Amino acid sequence: MDTLTPTITTAIILSMGISIALPSTNINKTKNKLMMLFIISLIPLNSALNNKELTLSSTPMILTPTENINISLTLDMLSLTFMPVALFITWSVLEFSLWYMMPDPNVNKFIKYLLTFLIAMLIIITANNMYQLFIGWEAVGVMSFLLIGWWYGRPDANTAALQAIIYNRMGDIGLIMTTAWLMSSSSMNLQEAMISHNMTIIPMLGLLAAAAGKSAQFTLHSWLPSAMEGPTPVSALLHSSTMVVAGVFLLTRFSPMLQNNTIMNMCLVLGATTTVFAAASAVTHFDIKKIIALSTTSQLGLMMTMIGLNQPSLAFLHMITHSFFKALLFLCSGLFIHNLNNEQDVRSMGGLLNTTPMTATSLIIANLSLMGMPFLSGFYSKDTIIEVMMNSHINSWALTITLTATTLSAMYSTRIILLTITGHPRTMNIMHKETKDIISPLIRLTIMSILAGTLTKLTTLQTTTLTTMPKTIKLATLIATLTGVTLSNDRDFFIKHMSPKKSKTLSIFFNQMAFFNMLHRSVPMNMLKMSQQILTELMDLWALESWGPKGLSKTLKPMIYLSTHQKNMMKSYMSIFLITLMLSLTIMMI
């Protein structure tokens, strides 16, 4: 098994690359290839369950005086567990895309972009040196730019794509800084770098900045809701098993090197702030895709909190369970939007349980899993996370914030269920039948949203917490969730009968993402304007006018000014008269 596993994994990546490189017109063959690759990727899981770490390296490709650069794959618990998840979700999203994007004339190119996106993520999770990691990291960013801006005829899509890649480039500065530090002070090979624990705080901050940019943490969170301008299959893949989880995966991979109290506290504060802020923002939005996108940001904040508590395995566990129900949520929302003639406002939906029963059922299960309802996949990761926080040396602020975010996540999840699938229809439906192409990926993802948490009981990802904790602590997550469900139900019951009112300042604050969009646009705009003024006004009008040619010309006095006082100015005449009079009186007195 030890020699079979690397061979199988390499074959998976190579076959994916060949299938993209060869021109293909039959998309169904590509779908079947992905299905086979997923089944093959389950074989090496035996090594992961036995906690074996395998490395596969090629001969040196580039020889340098200090280091030989080669292709090196690491196959450990993280990569071998996450690889089937990424393949499974891409398989489901690609099958959904065949129906959703069929009217698009460039559907073949779209499928190739999705597969390239998957390959970039596989490069990240199997990379054993910083060169490969950086290649996959940048490839994920470039593919997100191309996919978010797929409908490039829309100005909003172009703006969102630019926003995504610019925010990611801001975070990439940190990764480049860490890479440069490892190149000069340690080794570019991850295993060798993790053995030496002499990392200073600067490269740690670089890793944190890279993860904050890619995983849309607070202050760099604005690009994630804007990324909803892309097609729904892109959102499903982007927000579940690729791109946004790459940042948390990076910190999970480098967790042995991040053993620093300052960095841990920064991760904890950043994660707790992100999770509650994104959840509060989701409560104020009505666009179904933006609500789910902000929900992703909130869950990423929860993963970052676990990194801050030095529990990377729990962050990785939540990453896996979150992938299934988040992909399912996006596919269900895309089906609703498609059926309602591109209507995305949840207030304009309703009664979809009768017209699309299978999709509505999947949406309910995905939302319940997101809330952390018992025995669904989200429960096994979310409940364990709260229990670990309860039993750790953590300040009460972070714990209270996380429980508040859990309540808010139950609120917006309940609101999605109540407004979309219950009640009476509030818009004109153009219904599509729930065919096999649509239902098959939904059923697969629904089954995994139910069973993924149970299956992870077979692994060592779940940390066993104290069994002697009080009932209140044990049931804290469930109490917070039920509180959120009750509050959301009561709020919608009272609000739906009232006439629309002007939003309060606090609602506007969260709805506008704490005005970071305006801040991030106004700061560079003001800097450009100030630079323009300095260049044109300060340098041109002041420095050159005063000290340049005109300034020199003013220093030259005509001889007439030096030889005569006849300047036709009264004050000059009076001054000369007064001076002459004073001199005369002085001479006479003498």
Side-chain angles (χ1 to χ4, degrees):
M1 179 61 71
D2 289 358
T3 56
L4 183 64
T5 305
T7 310
I8 290 173
T9 309
T10 311
I12 289 173
I13 298 176
L14 289 177
S15 60
M16 285 292 300
I18 293 170
S19 66
I20 290 174
L22 294 175
S24 174
T25 55
N26 192 344
I27 305 176
N28 286 316
K29 286 185 179 179
T30 307
K31 180 188 72 174
N32 294 333
K33 285 178 186 176
L34 267 177
M35 180 181 68
M36 289 303 300
L37 290 175
F38 163 68
I39 295 171
I40 292 171
S41 69
L42 294 175
I43 299 172
L45 274 179
N46 185 44
S47 298
L49 295 176
N50 293 326
N51 285 327
K52 292 182 179 178
E53 185 174 348
L54 309 166
T55 305
L56 181 66
S57 300
S58 68
T59 55
M61 300 177 66
I62 302 174
L63 299 175
T64 64
T66 55
E67 191 169 10
N68 296 331
I69 301 172
N70 60 355
I71 296 175
S72 181
L73 305 178
T74 180
L75 303 168
D76 55 356
M77 169 67 87
L78 295 179
S79 56
L80 289 178
T81 309
F82 197 70
M83 196 182 300
V85 176
L87 286 167
F88 180 84
I89 290 173
T90 309
W91 168 35
S92 302
V93 170
L94 189 139
E95 188 172 350
F96 182 82
S97 302
L98 300 183
W99 171 79
Y100 191 86
M101 298 295 292
M102 192 50 69
D104 197 299
N106 296 319
V107 63
N108 281 328
K109 186 165 77 168
F110 182 79
I111 298 300
K112 288 182 184 295
Y113 279 6
L114 287 183
L115 293 176
T116 310
F117 207 176
L118 171 65
I119 286 183
M121 191 63 197
L122 291 178
I123 291 172
I124 289 176
I125 63 179
T126 59
N128 195 36
N129 57 50
M130 290 300 293
Y131 301 110
Q132 282 172 245
L133 182 67
F134 190 72
I135 289 170
W137 190 268
E138 292 303 316
V140 164
V142 171
M143 293 314 300
S144 69
F145 171 76
L146 294 173
L147 286 168
I148 293 170
W150 178 257
W151 289 318
Y152 50 82
R154 297 164 55 183
D156 287 346
N158 287 328
T159 305
L162 279 172
Q163 195 174 359
I165 200 164
I166 289 170
Y167 275 61
N168 278 278
R169 293 304 293 168
M170 290 166 64
D172 291 350
I173 295 171
L175 187 66
I176 294 170
M177 183 172 66
T178 304
T179 306
W181 186 90
L182 287 172
M183 189 182 294
S184 60
S185 303
S186 184
S187 171
M188 297 293 279
N189 187 291
L190 298 188
Q191 292 171 330
E192 295 175 3
M194 289 179 192
I195 292 173
S196 58
H197 295 285
N198 60 342
M199 183 178 275
T200 61
I201 197 166
I202 299 298
M204 292 183 188
L205 287 174
L207 289 174
L208 183 58
K214 193 70 78 178
S215 293
Q217 298 299 301
F218 188 69
T219 66
L220 294 175
H221 59 276
S222 300
W223 72 268
L224 201 57
S226 302
M228 295 300 98
E229 292 297 329
T232 301
V234 175
S235 305
L237 192 60
L238 184 84
H239 288 249
S240 58
S241 60
T242 58
M243 184 66 176
V244 296
V245 297
V248 178
F249 187 89
L250 179 77
L251 294 183
T252 307
R253 174 71 79 195
F254 280 91
S255 57
M257 303 169 67
L258 297 176
Q259 303 303 315
N260 182 287
N261 287 333
T262 305
I263 293 296
M264 288 293 177
N265 289 330
M266 289 178 69
C267 288
L268 181 66
V269 172
L270 185 63
T273 307
T274 304
T275 188
V276 73
F277 173 77
S281 299
V283 173
T284 64
H285 276 77
F286 294 100
D287 186 327
I288 186 169
K289 286 182 71 175
K290 285 197 174 181
I291 294 173
I292 302 172
L294 288 165
S295 147
T296 303
T297 311
S298 181
Q299 302 307 308
L300 291 168
L302 200 58
M303 298 174 205
M304 184 67 77
T305 306
M306 281 298 99
I307 299 289
L309 281 181
N310 199 16
Q311 294 286 342
S313 60
L314 280 182
F316 184 66
L317 172 66
H318 193 54
M319 190 191 306
I320 290 175
T321 56
H322 169 263
S323 298
F324 295 110
F325 60 73
K326 189 50 59 73
L328 181 58
L329 273 174
F330 271 111
L331 295 191
C332 292
S333 67
L335 215 151
F336 287 159
I337 292 166
H338 202 64
N339 280 340
L340 299 176
N341 198 16
N342 296 326
E343 179 60 63
Q344 296 187 197
D345 196 323
V346 290
R347 295 170 294 185
S348 299
M349 301 180 185
L352 293 172
L353 183 60
N354 299 321
T355 53
T356 53
M358 188 65 215
T359 311
T361 306
S362 299
L363 184 79
I364 292 172
I365 292 173
N367 274 305
L368 290 177
S369 185
L370 172 61
M371 292 181 207
M373 283 297 174
F375 311 116
L376 296 176
S377 64
F379 167 77
Y380 288 97
S381 56
K382 211 168 185 180
D383 192 75
T384 313
I385 285 172
I386 300 294
E387 286 181 11
V388 167
M389 293 182 72
M390 289 282 194
N391 290 285
S392 63
H393 296 284
I394 182 177
N395 58 44
S396 56
W397 174 84
L399 179 59
T400 309
I401 287 291
T402 310
L403 286 173
T404 306
T406 305
T407 305
L408 291 172
S409 66
M411 285 184 67
Y412 62 71
S413 300
T414 307
R415 190 176 63 168
I416 290 177
I417 295 173
L418 292 176
L419 292 180
T420 54
I421 64 179
T422 63
H424 59 276
R426 291 182 288 273
T427 187
M428 197 70 182
N429 292 353
I430 304 173
M431 296 314 301
H432 298 268
K433 291 183 180 179
E434 293 182 324
T435 59
K436 181 183 176 183
D437 293 338
I438 312 170
I439 293 302
S440 296
L442 291 184
I443 291 176
R444 284 198 299 271
L445 288 169
T446 304
I447 291 172
M448 289 307 296
S449 296
I450 298 170
L451 298 178
T454 310
L455 292 175
T456 53
K457 285 288 185 184
L458 301 172
T459 68
T460 57
L461 289 174
Q462 294 199 39
T463 306
T464 305
T465 50
L466 295 174
T467 56
T468 57
M469 66 180 72
K471 285 183 180 178
T472 311
I473 294 178
K474 183 71 177 174
L475 299 174
T477 313
L478 189 59
I479 292 170
T481 301
L482 293 177
T483 304
V485 172
T486 308
L487 288 174
S488 180
N489 190 22
D490 291 347
R491 179 177 179 270
D492 288 338
F493 179 77
F494 286 110
I495 285 179
K496 67 182 179 181
H497 300 293
M498 297 170 62
S499 58
K501 292 183 179 180
K502 186 178 179 181
S503 297
K504 296 180 180 179
T505 307
L506 192 62
S507 298
I508 295 174
F509 175 80
F510 286 112
N511 186 267
Q512 296 299 317
M513 306 295 296
F515 306 108
F516 269 87
N517 267 335
M518 289 180 277
L519 178 67
H520 287 171
R521 291 183 185 182
S522 63
V523 168
M525 186 59 68
N526 289 330
M527 287 291 291
L528 286 172
K529 284 184 177 178
M530 187 175 70
S531 303
Q532 184 184 21
Q533 287 175 346
I534 290 173
L535 182 66
T536 58
E537 296 179 15
L538 189 65
M539 292 182 66
D540 269 357
L541 300 180
W542 180 64
L544 294 179
E545 294 280 340
S546 301
W547 299 342
K550 283 194 176 182
L552 290 173
S553 67
K554 288 177 182 177
T555 59
L556 299 175
K557 289 287 185 182
M559 289 300 293
I560 186 69
Y561 288 163
L562 301 176
S563 61
T564 179
H565 299 291
Q566 304 299 328
K567 298 180 181 178
N568 296 326
M569 294 182 68
M570 182 60 69
K571 62 180 182 180
S572 300
Y573 297 154
M574 292 302 295
S575 300
I576 294 171
F577 175 74
L578 184 60
I579 292 170
T580 308
L581 182 63
M582 294 299 292
L583 286 172
S584 302
L585 289 173
T586 305
I587 292 170
M588 289 175 64
M589 290 174 66
I590 291 173

